[in-house]
Each structure stands twice: as C-alpha cells, then as structure tokens.
Amino acid sequence: MNATCINEIETPCELSKADRDHFRAQGYVKIKDLLSPETLAYYEQAITRKVFELNRTHEIPLEQRSTYDKAFLQVTNVLEHCETVRELVMSPRLGRLAAELMGTRGVRLYHDQALYKEAGGGHTPWHADQQYWPLASDRICTLWLPLQAVPLEMGPLAFAPGSHRFTQGRDLEISDHSEATLARLLPENGYGDAVEAFDLGEGSFHYGWTFHHAPPNRSGKPRHVMTVIYMDVDMRLQEPENSRQVNDRNGWCPGIKVGDIIDSPRNPVIWEA
Ligand SMILES: O=C(O)CCC(=O)C(=O)O
C-alpha cells in the first residue's frame, strides 16, 4: 500500500461545468490531470503484472489473430486478482466524477478491464458498448484511463461526438462488419470522428451508447490502458436482448433478478453522495 497514492485517489477533484456540459451534449469528455504521473506509474506496474499473468493472447503472433484479438489484450475485473488494482478501481475521486457527469446520486462497479494495445496492434472497430449490457437505463459510462501518454500513432480512443443519441447500428458487435457499417453510417448522418492524443494524466469518460473506435498502434510501444465501467447506483437489470447480454448478466450481475437493482457482490458502491 502506498499512502501518497491512496491519498490522491481518495481526494476529490472538481468537475468543471464545461466538462459536464461537454459530456452530456457530446456523449464523452476528455479530462486532464485525473491522476499524477507517480500514481499512474504505481498502478500501471500492478495492472501490467496481472495482464501478462492472466492473458495469454500475446503468445499468438498478431497476424494469426482475429481483428478483435489484434486490437488489444483484454483482462476483465482485474480488481479481483490484485488488492492494489482494487484501490484504483474503487477510487472515490474517479467514481465521484462519473456520478457527477451522469447526474446520479452514486455509482457502482459494472466491471473493470485492462485494454492493452500491443506495439503493432490493430485498430479497435467502431462500436457502442451498451449492446453488451442488460441494463434498464443509459446511466452508465466508461472511464478510459491511459497509464502513459497516448500520441496519435499509439491508438487513442476516438469518439463520434453526439452519437449517444444515434440509434442505428447499436446492435453491431465489435467486428470488421461494425467497422465497415459505422464508418459509413456515422458520417452519412452528420457525425464526425474526434481523434485526439491523450496527455499523461488525461482520461476520458463516455456513455454506453456513444460510438467510438481507436486507430492501430504504430508507435512501436505498447499502449497500456485501464478502464472502469461505472453504473448508476440504482441501475436495474432488464431482460437480456441478445446472447451477449445473457453472458453479461451471468458474469457481471450474478444472482440478480430482472427488475431488481444490480447490487451483487460484484457491483460494490464506489461513490455515493
Ligand atoms: O481501448 C480501446 O482500444 C477500446 C476501448 C473501448 O472500446 C472502451 O473502453 O469502451
């Protein structure tokens, strides 16, 4: 345990009105100085150890993998494997920002995931996350927290501003088909593509229905990113609408009945007013 890091992740930081308004109007926001370089470096070490212990995809050559497996090494609920990672995922400072952005009285964990785009890793196809989630409202968002700076050539997360209100293509799971379809549909319907570098300490929050993607990693260095998916503390389970949502219900909402608040042991309250 590192007392300086704990102090930082527990200390609130102020959300500006401009950032809140941007999130609600555009469906995402990038915020600078979420955490200090020292704190990011501390948690990066713990997360990286677990990613390479728990994910073996990196042993398969990139050219032999699917588009999905070329895009990133993915490890979910890292907090269940490491107390240090748990501290970061359960950070009240970050959870409070998520609640204030969404306008909820608190947030619970849906799940976390590390998303490491290797050097030479492929693009992340266009998609919206909420098609995977059996949830009764849209009060859910992802914190995408790079553990180093992400220049353009490293594959920063990129968003279609305002697309959380666009309802076509929502059912397309991450694939070559979602990439081809949404790369056509979004501009046809007037949505742009905001691709921007992330400074060290900068992270983004996006709604479950905001369309996003990431370019390939051509930087020659790995892109290490941690994500935390926060849902409204009062979020209820809805009847799953596809097989992906059935998997998520079983995995992330164990024992919860349709219509009930998702308060399983896997969904601890991270921050409450
Ligand atoms: O990290 C990436 O390339 C994709 C991340 C993503 O799709 C997400 O966090 O929802």
Side-chain angles (χ1 to χ4, degrees), residues 71-72 113 115 117 124 127 129 142-144 155 157 174 206 212-214 223 225 227:
F72 37 64
Q113 53 188 356
L115 294 172
K117 202 184 271 300
T124 307
H127 67 281
D129 303 325
T142 299
L143 164 63
W144 195 82
L157 197 61
I174 302 176
H206 64 270
H212 55 282
H213 73 128
R223 188 210 72 182
V225 169
T227 68

Side-chain angles (χ1 to χ4, degrees), residues 2 13 15 34 36 46 53 64 66 74 80 84 88 98 126 141-142 152 155 168 191 201 211 233 250 252:
N2 176 317
C13 62
L15 175 66
L34 285 175
S36 66
E53 189 182 306
Q64 290 175 21
S66 65
Q74 178 177 23
E80 291 178 355
T84 303
L88 178 68
W126 278 106
C141 70
T142 299
L152 287 179
Q168 293 177 49
Y191 294 99
F211 286 98
V233 71
N250 297 338
W252 307 128

Side-chain angles (χ1 to χ4, degrees), residues 32-133:
K32 291 193 192 293
D33 301 321
L34 285 175
L35 294 174
S36 66
E38 295 75 22
T39 295
L40 285 170
Y42 174 71
Y43 289 111
E44 191 272 339
Q45 281 191 357
I47 298 164
T48 299
R49 202 172 309 125
K50 286 295 152 189
V51 167
F52 288 95
E53 189 182 306
L54 297 166
N55 187 304
R56 293 276 161 224
T57 308
H58 58 94
E59 291 170 2
I60 303 169
L62 275 160
E63 58 281 6
Q64 290 175 21
R65 299 189 212 160
S66 65
T67 298
Y68 192 97
D69 284 341
K70 276 181 192 148
F72 37 64
L73 304 176
Q74 178 177 23
V75 179
T76 48
N77 263 18
V78 191
L79 89 165
E80 291 178 355
H81 301 278
C82 175
E83 278 309 307
T84 303
V85 180
R86 174 176 289 272
E87 290 165 13
L88 178 68
V89 173
M90 294 299 294
S91 158
R93 172 191 182 94
L94 300 173
R96 178 183 181 146
L97 284 174
E100 290 180 352
L101 285 166
M102 294 193 289
T104 60
R105 68 175 184 86
V107 287
R108 291 177 187 279
L109 180 65
Y110 185 59
H111 66 80
D112 74 44
Q113 53 188 356
L115 294 172
Y116 279 28
K117 202 184 271 300
E118 299 146 279
H123 68 285
T124 307
W126 278 106
H127 67 281
D129 303 325
Q130 191 145 353
Q131 56 156 309
Y132 291 90
W133 302 337

